[in-house]
Amino acid sequence: MRMIAAHKAMTVMTASFTGVAAHSSLTPSGVNAIEYASRFVVYARNLADSMRDSGPFDEAYDVPHTTMSVNEISGGIAQNTVPDRCDVTVEFRAIAENDPEEIVGHLRECIDDLDTRMREENPDAGATLTVLSAVVGLDTAPDSEGARFVADLVSRTEGLTDTEPVKVTYGTEAGLFSKAGIDTLVLGPGDIAQAHAADEFVELDQIRACERFFSALAARLSE
């Protein structure tokens, strides 16, 4: 039941590498998809390190910079076969100062370069990058009309006292409303520390506070 004014944008992508299979004793006749995928992994890590070290930064977040990580990788069929396939899933979460499309563009440049190199080895080989999902970031100004409206409701709600907007690490659909030009904040019962677990729960006191908040909203809209 806190006023959330901002969260990072999130983008998930899969880099797919198509090689050419061959017996491992005849490596020059194949194209190793895993080896090319590993170059992409190193590029993604270097890009992540650059954003970690050079920013931009937003100290209101627990992790004050844009993050990127390779979270899944699969490839290869046997220990004595040059792999003809490797897929890498990479995710990044961008603060407002970083343009997600620009970051995707950097990754595409790497993929395009690797695609060219793979095709030079064999025209049947290549690499592609596919965006699987994207969550629009939220960054509502704390002095916006919407923020002031919600702060007034919080001040009217028994048991709620924190009228300072905060920034959180997880994502929501709120960024879509914000992108459409609507002042948007997130406020609701529960704690992210209690989410996405086998015993996920919401405290009853939080539910009661939420009920009082909506009562305050109904009263405010009836004035």
Side-chain angles (χ1 to χ4, degrees):
M1 293 300 295
R2 300 185 66 190
M3 293 174 55
I4 297 167
H7 62 68
K8 297 178 181 180
M10 181 185 73
T11 304
V12 180
M13 298 151 289
T14 291
S16 299
F17 298 83
T18 302
V20 176
H23 193 276
S24 59
S25 66
L26 301 171
T27 56
S29 63
V31 179
N32 195 311
I34 290 178
E35 291 179 356
Y36 276 99
S38 68
R39 300 183 192 185
F40 175 76
V41 171
V42 170
Y43 179 88
R45 177 54 190 262
N46 288 340
L47 182 57
D49 288 347
S50 175
M51 293 185 289
R52 178 199 65 196
D53 297 338
S54 302
F57 300 101
D58 186 337
E59 299 297 337
Y61 285 106
D62 291 339
V63 180
H65 53 80
T66 294
T67 59
M68 177 183 293
S69 61
V70 172
N71 296 334
E72 291 181 321
I73 186 167
S74 63
I77 58 172
Q79 63 183 19
N80 62 346
T81 303
V82 174
D84 64 353
R85 187 74 183 181
C86 188
D87 295 306
V88 177
T89 300
V90 61
E91 179 218 61
F92 68 84
R93 296 178 183 247
I95 63 174
E97 288 76 9
N98 280 125
D99 180 2
E101 290 298 324
E102 182 177 344
I103 295 173
V104 172
H106 290 314
L107 295 172
R108 287 198 186 280
E109 289 177 2
C110 176
I111 288 292
D112 289 344
D113 177 64
L114 294 174
D115 178 71
T116 299
R117 293 172 182 267
M118 294 178 78
R119 292 184 185 280
E120 287 174 350
E121 288 195 44
N122 190 307
D124 292 332
T128 60
L129 183 69
T130 303
V131 176
L132 299 179
S133 63
V135 174
V136 180
L138 175 68
D139 194 32
T140 300
D143 61 348
S144 66
E145 182 179 358
R148 294 196 303 271
F149 179 82
V150 176
D152 177 63
L153 288 177
V154 169
S155 67
R156 294 168 179 243
T157 303
E158 179 187 352
L160 298 183
T161 58
D162 193 346
T163 58
E164 288 298 319
V166 297
K167 300 184 178 184
V168 297
T169 55
Y170 52 87
T172 74
E173 294 89 352
L176 296 172
F177 297 98
S178 181
K179 187 177 181 180
I182 303 169
D183 280 352
T184 307
L185 288 93
V186 178
L187 187 146
D191 189 319
I192 193 63
Q194 299 158 0
H196 305 318
D199 60 346
E200 182 176 76
F201 66 94
V202 177
E203 295 281 358
L204 289 178
D205 284 347
Q206 286 279 298
I207 299 294
R208 296 185 186 101
C210 186
E211 290 176 340
R212 292 194 298 271
F213 176 83
F214 275 105
S215 294
L217 173 61
R220 175 69 172 79
L221 295 177
S222 300
E223 293 178 352

